[in-house]
Structures are given as structure tokens and as C-alpha cells.
């Protein structure tokens, strides 16, 4: 079984601080860590860790390049069992870098990132004509590289979309999706404005139009909607002591991909993903938490 993740790969510089500095102020961090980041990348690492005992192979397609910073991404992915297909192997431009600051007391984080910036990841070319995206039982896309994400969506057997915030490319991706997992911040331009949060979620699900739509709200219940059969519900998020919330959504999506690939029904898959994201937020650092799964 194979899961394909297509999207952003970054170098994340993570520092923990007791408080955020003010303007023109410096603070000493408690710790510094460097890891590969980006929604699709973190989801791939999560899926590879969860899927390894089940024989699930995870492949990430992204733009990394030949810059020395790219070696940090490659090494992290290899250490966690993710196969990388680099669409820009000869590029000398540095990969995107995200500066992540985590408050030690609450686990809340701030992120400064240019995401993909001007870097465009196309579709990897094979020996013959056409695309060389590997066949997969389930494909996850995050929309950060439009050409790549669209190609992956159109060729996917089953498509899971990480819809963190609206991007124009989603108009081309969403019609191919089986499951769209939206954050509470996601705003579809066709969704009718409503007063209540519940009504807003329902309007979003209708605008997205996928067979299954999931809307996450951090520590609040996750809401889900299906069209065949028409149904909806919500799943509680058990309270946990938050130590580090960076990448919690990515962990959720990676776990959701594994559960869906194993043909769990949607509520069961969401429950599983909630549990995995809960493990993520209770441990500091980008990778330490994986050993507690």
C-alpha cells in the first residue's frame, strides 16, 4: 500500500521561548531545533511512522533542490522512512525556511514563512512521455505548488485535500477530492456567510462539494459532513495539556490519510486522527512525539 503526499517542503527553525520579544527586543530561547516542515511534509512523516508497521509506503513529491539546506530536508525524511521525489533536483535556490517560535508556557506558536515563494514545483518527468507521479492508494495534497497539486489531484485514485486556507488552485483540486479536511480558518469564496459556527461549517461543506468534508476547530469538536449518504456529526477532542501545537494539523492530516487508506469509515478515521494530533501537542519539538505513537 502506498500513500503519496504532494506539496510544500521547508526547513523549519524552531525555538522555544518564555515570552515573545517586543519591537527591537531580543530574548534568549530555551531550545533550538531544525527539521523538515510544510503541511505535506509533516503529514508524510506522520503517515510513514504510523504506516510502517502496516507495510504502508509513503512518498513525498516536492521541490527541494541542490542547495545545502535541502540536505537537511532529505536527511530528516530519510530518517523517518519517507521516500522523496524532488521535482527541482538541480535548483541552487534555497528551499523555503520557516521561523517557528513556540511559547514554552502554553505551546502556542507563531510562524514566519514565505511558503513556496516564487519557487514553482512542476510534475517530475519519467523516462517516457507524460508525468511520473507514482501510483498510490491514496493521495494527499496541500495546494502549495499549484501545478504539482493539480496534477496529483487529477491522477489520484482517492484524494485527501489539506485545506488550511483558501488558495485559487483549490478551485481545480476540490472537484477531484474524496475527503477535504478544512481548518476553521478556511473560507471558500462560494460559501454563504452565516452567523453561527455550526451553520458556517455546513455552508462551507456545501460550497466545497466533496463527498466528505471535515472541519477542525483546534481543541473544539471536529465536525464532518457527507453527501452519500447525507449525514453530519461532530467528534469531541479530548482535552490534553498543550506543550507544542506546531504541526498539530499536519499530524492530523497524516493520520487521517493512514486511516482512510486502511478503509476506516470517516468518523473512525477522524477519531484516530484526533488521537494522533493529541499526542503531537503534548510533546515539545518537531519529531520527539513520534516515539510516543
Amino acid at each position: 500500500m502506498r500513500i503519496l503526499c504532494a506539496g510544500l517542503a521547508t526547513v523549519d527553525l524552531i525555538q522555544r521561548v518564555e515570552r515573545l520579544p517586543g519591537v527591537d527586543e531580543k530574548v534568549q530561547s530555551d531550545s533550538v531545533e531544525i527539521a523538515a516542515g510544510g503541511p505535506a511534509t509533516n503529514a508524510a512523516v506522520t503517515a510513514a511512522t504510523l504506516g510502517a508497521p502496516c507495510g504502508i509506503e509513503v512518498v513525498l513529491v516536492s521541490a527541494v533542490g541542490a542547495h545545502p539546506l535541502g540536505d537537511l530536508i532529505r536527511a530528516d525524511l530519510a530518517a523517518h522512512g519517507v521516500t522523496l521525489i524532488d521535482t527541482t533536483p538541480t535548483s541552487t535556490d534555497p528551499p523555503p525556511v520557516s521561523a517557528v517560535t513556540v511559547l514554552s508556557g502554553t505551546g502556542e506558536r507563531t510562524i514566519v514563512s514565505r511558503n513556496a515563494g516564487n519557487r514553482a514545483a512542476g510534475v517530475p518527468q519519467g523516462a517516457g512521455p507524460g508525468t511520473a507521479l507514482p501510483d498510490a492508494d491514496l493521495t494527499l495534497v496541500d495546494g502549495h505548488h499549484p501545478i504539482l497539486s493539480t496534477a496529483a489531484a487529477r491522477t489520484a485514485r482517492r484524494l485527501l485535500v489539506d485545506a488550511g486556507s483558501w488558495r485559487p488552485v483549490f478551485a481545480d483540486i476540490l472537484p477531484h477530492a474524496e475527503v477535504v479536511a478544512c481548518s476553521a480558518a478556511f473560507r471558500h469564496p462560494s460559501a454563504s456567510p452565516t452567523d453561527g459556527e455550526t451553520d458556517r461549517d455546513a455552508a462551507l461543506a456545501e460550497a466545497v462539494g466533496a463527498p466528505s468534508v471535515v472541519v477542525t476547530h483546534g481543541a473544539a469538536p471536529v465536525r464532518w459532513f457527507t453527501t452519500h449518504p447525507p449525514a453530519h456529526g461532530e467528534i469531541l477532542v479530548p482535552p490534553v495539556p498543550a506543550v507544542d501545537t506546531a504541526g498539530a494539523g499536519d499530524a492530523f492530516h497524516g493520520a487521517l490519510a493512514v486511516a482512510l487508506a486502511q478503509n476506516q469509515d470517516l468518523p473512525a478515521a477522524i477519531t484516530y486522527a484526533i488521537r494522533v494530533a493529541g499526542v503531537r501537542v503534548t510533546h515539545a519539538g518537531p519529531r520527539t512525539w513520534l516515539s510516543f505513537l
Side-chain angles (χ1 to χ4, degrees), residues 47-293:
T49 302
L50 295 169
C54 311
I56 297 176
E57 176 191 4
V58 178
V59 177
L60 172 69
V61 184
S62 188
V64 177
H67 189 278
L69 285 176
D71 292 337
L72 298 173
I73 298 174
R74 281 184 284 272
D76 192 21
L77 293 174
H80 293 92
V82 177
T83 299
L84 172 66
I85 297 178
D86 188 356
T87 66
T88 58
T90 61
S91 173
T92 58
D93 295 332
V97 176
S98 294
V100 183
T101 305
V102 180
L103 284 172
S104 298
T106 65
E108 296 170 306
R109 82 284 192 266
T110 60
I111 301 175
V112 177
S113 176
R114 197 159 179 256
N115 293 328
N118 295 329
R119 190 172 195 141
V123 179
Q125 296 300 309
T131 66
L133 287 170
D135 187 36
D137 298 277
L138 184 136
T139 299
L140 178 150
V141 300
D142 64 15
H144 275 278
H145 290 295
I147 295 174
L148 171 61
S149 292
T150 301
R154 288 175 176 172
T155 58
R157 291 186 189 176
R158 302 176 62 194
L159 180 65
L160 167 62
V161 178
D162 171 358
S165 58
W166 174 260
R167 297 181 182 85
V169 70
F170 281 131
D172 297 322
I173 292 173
L174 296 182
H176 302 281
E178 174 184 327
V179 179
V180 178
C182 307
S183 73
F186 188 79
R187 294 291 181 265
H188 193 290
S190 298
S192 301
T194 55
D195 295 330
E197 192 65 44
T198 299
D199 291 341
R200 184 182 294 117
D201 291 346
L204 173 59
E206 183 177 1
V208 167
S212 298
V213 176
V214 178
V215 186
T216 61
H217 295 272
V222 176
R223 306 200 72 243
W224 59 268
F225 304 82
T226 60
T227 58
H228 302 292
H232 62 87
E234 67 176 35
I235 299 175
L236 296 178
V237 176
V240 296
V243 175
D244 187 346
T245 61
D250 305 337
F252 178 92
H253 297 131
L256 189 64
V258 170
L260 292 172
Q262 294 176 319
N263 294 315
Q264 295 187 30
D265 63 35
L266 186 63
I270 293 170
T271 301
Y272 177 70
I274 289 172
R275 183 183 67 79
V276 171
V279 176
R280 168 67 193 98
V281 302
T282 57
H283 297 89
R287 300 288 182 254
T288 302
W289 71 280
L290 294 170
S291 62
F292 293 89
L293 291 174

